[in-house]
Amino acid sequence: MRQWLDSVSSLLLALFLALMVWLLTSDTERPMTTTPVPATGGLPLTYEHVPDGFMPLSVDEGRVKALVRGFKDAVGPQTAADLVLVVDLAGITSPQAVAAVDTPVDVPVHWRWRDEVGWSVRRRQALRVLTTDPPAVAVRLDPIVTSTLRVEVELANKAEGGVDLGERETDPAKVQVTGPRTVLARIARAVALVDSAMLSGSTTPRLSGLPLVAMDASGTVIEHVALDPNTVTVTVDPTRFGYRLPVVVEPHGNVPSGYDWRGMTYDPKEVHVFGPREGIQQLLAAGKVSARPIDLGPITRTTQLRSPLMLPAGVEAVGLPDGDITVTVQVDVLRGSQQYTVPVEAEGVPPGLKAVISPPTVIVVLRGDRPVLDQLTAADLKAVVIARRLAAGVHRVPVNLRLPPGLERVSVAPDPIELTLESLGAARPSR
């Protein structure tokens, strides 16, 4: 017996020494390390045995790490995915749960490997969890409450500009939302999201089974709540549903010479169109609704015109039964100046005398509307000197202009001029 015991002891000692040599060799060839997992942030927490009527909230959510020991080349991002951190609330009594609404309670954090991570895998990698950091988390319980919200309807894709749902109804008009009290406090409305493609071209747009979502004031979807019912039926007035697109009117030609085109304005600037899908798609591809071009050729003043919209077959514009818009074409008359050579005449020459004017013509510069100046000739102007009550002899007299309405005298040169009154039949004295 003693000999047998000595043999067993020797065998065990040999095994122990072999294990130590293997560990020393392994630690040299594949060094061991103790690493926080994950390197940044934290692991998600799984709550178990949550008291009825409550939802757990932890101030340490997203901050808890696991301290893992293993081969250095085996501890990495996959290790974080293989771990589950559990916060078990089984020990919290009903009075403690009520108290935990206002005062957080510390609960230990446990860990376990996911079921698909076998023992043999962990043994080959020498993986084991030492502890968690922190080892416990502060948990507050949020009561589950219910409130009533009015259902609203919005487009599923708000980036699709110009879509107008018009008047719509929902069935039911209100729904109940259930969830943690702090989460419900953020909810502003229950929304049924509508895909505009489901309505375009429909004559009786009634959509059933549209899912509801809860949103905050900024339009962010709120998770972890239950809506009852969670779907609604939306009915849209086909004469009010459509797309709101800008109106564009192209000018054609040019205003006459002497006029200045200052631009055009439209009323309305955009229109709400609805109708067959094919026609609507044509307008959407263009991104606008065009009206008949405006011919600028005959326009010489600011004018209001009616221009029909160029709509595809079957497409209508809400509020425009005749399909026309009002276009205001803004045209100003250009102002300018022009020079003319005008003969001078004498008026009121006393009997028995004749008038000799030197020089016989003057240079006249006028200012006025450009179209009038362009059509004006020297024959349309009259320059006169007044000889009335003047005696025979040489006089310096001013030049008077007789102008058509709307013209302004700028200058006359020379002015004054020389007027000589001579007796009829008398020779003009030599100079």
Side-chain angles (χ1 to χ4, degrees), residues 344-350 354-357 382-390 397-398 400-402 419 421:
V344 182
E345 302 176 9
E347 285 187 353
V349 178
K354 66 176 181 180
V356 178
I357 300 171
K382 191 172 184 179
V384 299
V385 292
I386 306 301
R388 192 176 294 112
R389 292 191 294 273
L390 294 179
V397 292
N400 297 285
L401 294 179
R402 309 285 170 79
L419 169 63
L421 296 177

Side-chain angles (χ1 to χ4, degrees), residues 214-399:
M215 290 186 176
D216 63 13
S218 65
T220 302
V221 176
I222 304 298
E223 305 288 350
H224 309 300
V225 294
L227 293 154
D228 184 24
N230 59 6
T231 63
V232 294
T233 297
V234 175
T235 303
V236 177
D237 184 351
T239 65
R240 296 297 179 186
F241 164 75
Y243 292 79
R244 194 168 295 277
L245 294 172
V247 173
V248 175
V249 184
E250 299 290 343
H252 176 69
N254 298 298
V255 295
S257 175
Y259 295 90
D260 182 24
W261 174 55
R262 307 302 296 272
M264 296 188 300
T265 59
Y266 333 131
D267 184 25
K269 294 182 176 63
E270 61 178 18
V271 291
H272 177 178
V273 293
F274 69 95
R277 188 189 305 273
E278 181 178 353
I280 292 295
Q281 292 302 322
Q282 290 180 26
L283 295 177
L284 291 178
K288 63 184 179 181
V289 177
S290 296
R292 185 179 63 192
I294 298 296
D295 184 8
L296 300 179
I299 301 178
T300 58
R301 59 187 176 87
T302 297
T303 307
Q304 278 194 346
L305 304 169
R306 299 289 290 174
S307 179
L309 294 175
M310 301 168 67
L311 296 171
V315 176
E316 299 180 28
V318 175
L320 297 176
D322 57 359
D324 291 354
I325 65 168
T326 300
V327 181
T328 301
V329 184
Q330 298 173 328
V331 174
D332 292 340
V333 180
L334 291 174
R335 299 283 290 176
S337 59
Q338 186 91 2
Q339 176 179 294
Y340 305 88
T341 301
V342 182
V344 182
E345 302 176 9
E347 285 187 353
V349 178
L353 298 177
K354 66 176 181 180
V356 178
I357 300 171
S358 179
T361 61
V362 291
I363 304 300
V364 176
V365 177
L366 302 179
R367 179 182 293 116
D369 292 346
R370 190 75 259 171
V372 175
L373 293 175
D374 290 343
Q375 297 180 12
L376 194 68
T377 66
D380 300 316
L381 305 175
K382 191 172 184 179
V384 299
V385 292
I386 306 301
R388 192 176 294 112
R389 292 191 294 273
L390 294 179
V394 179
H395 305 274
R396 298 284 293 176
V397 292
V399 178

Side-chain angles (χ1 to χ4, degrees), residues 86-146:
V86 179
V87 179
D88 192 348
L89 304 179
I92 296 181
T93 64
S94 296
Q96 288 174 331
V98 173
V101 172
D102 299 315
T103 304
V105 58
D106 289 335
V107 182
V109 179
H110 304 283
W111 66 87
R112 65 169 178 255
W113 296 97
R114 296 189 183 277
D115 295 340
E116 58 270 22
V117 183
W119 178 84
S120 60
V121 174
R122 300 200 307 272
R123 181 180 64 82
R124 286 197 303 271
Q125 298 175 346
L127 290 177
R128 60 193 180 98
V129 179
L130 303 180
T131 184
T132 63
D133 180 23
V137 293
V139 177
R140 189 170 63 82
L141 296 181
D142 202 4
I144 304 297
V145 296
T146 299

